[in-house]
Amino acid sequence: PETKLLDYPIHQHRLLPLVAQTFAMTFAAREMMASYKELMGELSNLGDAKGAAIADAIKNLKETHATSAGLKAFCTWMCLNIIDQSRQSLGGHGYSAYTGLSQAYSDFAVHCTWEGDNTILMLQCGRYLVATALEARDGGQPLPSNLAYLEAALAQGTAAAAAKPRTSNGAAADVGALDTLKAAWSSVAANAILGAVRDFEAGLAKGLSKDSAYEFSSAARLHAARMHTYTYLLHRFAAQVEQSPAALRPILSLLARLFGAHSAVQYSGEFLQAGFYTGAQVDALKALVNSACAEVRADAVPLTDAFGYSDYIINSPLGRFDGNVYEKYFELVTGLNPPKPTPYFDSLIRPLLERTSDFDAGPELEFDQDA
């Protein structure tokens, strides 16, 4: 029998973490939309309110804008990569116009630019992170809930104050536990934000204006926004696991751990720099990713079917719900390229294909023997 693409470990490692990413983005989007609706309700009820009510509304507005800006940029970049990785994993078929993935990539790429260029949006998120950290450190302002992980780091001036794995033997069951991954990403995000704060203050120390100092720290701000968004996604994913029906918690927990561990392996240098994981523990995370991919493989089809996209929306014979890939693929190709007479085939090509040994070879060439 034919070996399915997802039965190859390399393709499991390539594609199944992307399924986990998709669930992470889905849950974060739901919470972001709920926060947006709550904020709109709060603003509409302000009326002639003054003082603390206005200040709280503005604070919530800033937080919602910064979080949504980071999510828009991060998630559209991630989605574009998911389409491209899916396309590449299918080899030549992935590039065929009949499978729809090339068109999907072309159609989606613009999302990284319209409604706000992604780099600019990430910088806006990074500016908010730096400003909020400084307000909490120097002004005693309370941190919003999605930045609560900064509290200990700001108090001691380093992310090393964050919790470490409970043991140091590198066991995957420990370093890859969901709570440990949440603490790990919180530590890395805090370290990145503190780095952006240091760069911003270094710009001020050079005599730059506030706006110029923000520009001076733009690379660090973008990095901080990226690490914070990873952390936000993982925390929202973990919260959704806790709220899910008991029957769904095992697979959702596995997906959340796969998302957190796979992302941590990709940015392992950040975790080593923050002092959260050791090299041996990063190796344990790699082993966790491999084993989690093998486990998720068994549920890959129902997990993707759970999004409820119809064949019409997917627009590809390779993603059909009924699994009849080859039949529908061939039907699509032949339907768009119906058989028709080929010009000159009968008069020129067929005689060459069907000729016999006694065919008329034509006049023989004569050679001048004296030449």
Side-chain angles (χ1 to χ4, degrees), residues 118-128 218-219 221-222 225:
N118 281 1
T119 299
I120 301 302
L121 290 179
M122 289 292 269
L123 288 175
Q124 290 179 8
C125 179
R127 181 169 181 147
Y128 167 79
S218 58
R221 283 192 292 132
L222 191 147

Side-chain angles (χ1 to χ4, degrees), residues 174-191:
D174 179 44
V175 300
L178 190 51
D179 285 343
T180 306
L181 287 167
K182 287 168 58 181
W185 272 106
S186 295
S187 177
V188 164
N191 197 52

Side-chain angles (χ1 to χ4, degrees), residues 168-317:
S168 58
N169 61 7
D174 179 44
V175 300
L178 190 51
D179 285 343
T180 306
L181 287 167
K182 287 168 58 181
W185 272 106
S186 295
S187 177
V188 164
N191 197 52
I193 294 172
L194 291 180
V197 169
R198 287 193 295 270
D199 280 9
F200 172 73
E201 292 181 325
L204 293 177
K206 291 177 179 290
L208 299 177
S209 66
K210 186 176 180 180
D211 286 340
S212 296
Y214 273 121
E215 286 302 312
F216 179 78
S217 61
S218 58
R221 283 192 292 132
L222 191 147
H223 178 65
R226 189 186 300 274
M227 296 299 100
H228 168 70
T229 305
Y230 266 114
T231 303
Y232 180 87
L233 286 167
L234 182 61
H235 280 247
R236 301 287 75 76
F237 203 156
Q240 186 63 47
V241 171
E242 296 176 0
Q243 299 169 14
S244 298
L248 296 178
R249 286 176 195 164
I251 185 60
L252 289 179
S253 178
L254 179 62
L255 284 173
R257 293 171 62 216
L258 176 57
F259 170 69
H262 180 264
S263 303
V265 169
Q266 288 183 310
Y267 290 95
S268 56
E270 302 296 327
F271 293 84
L272 296 172
Q273 184 179 18
F276 193 93
Y277 284 135
T278 65
Q281 289 167 337
V282 171
D283 287 339
L285 286 179
K286 293 178 181 178
L288 170 62
V289 170
N290 291 335
S291 62
C293 285
E295 288 186 62
V296 171
R297 168 64 185 98
D299 294 311
V301 172
L303 284 171
T304 51
D305 284 347
F307 291 102
Y309 290 121
S310 66
D311 289 343
Y312 176 80
I313 294 297
I314 292 176
N315 191 33
S316 173

Side-chain angles (χ1 to χ4, degrees), residues 17 46 54 105 137 169 176 195 204-205 226 237 272 307 322 349 356:
L46 279 177
I54 293 292
Y105 186 91
R137 188 194 69 182
N169 61 7
L204 293 177
R226 189 186 300 274
F237 203 156
L272 296 172
F307 291 102
D322 60 15
I349 300 176
T356 61

Side-chain angles (χ1 to χ4, degrees), residues 28-46 57 60-61 63-65 68 232:
R30 289 179 181 177
E31 180 151 339
M32 188 71 255
M33 183 56 67
S35 297
Y36 168 77
K37 291 180 178 179
E38 182 179 349
L39 174 63
M40 291 298 100
E42 180 182 350
L43 293 177
S44 64
N45 293 329
L46 279 177
N60 292 337
L61 182 62
E63 179 183 357
T64 302
H65 168 75
S68 61
Y232 180 87

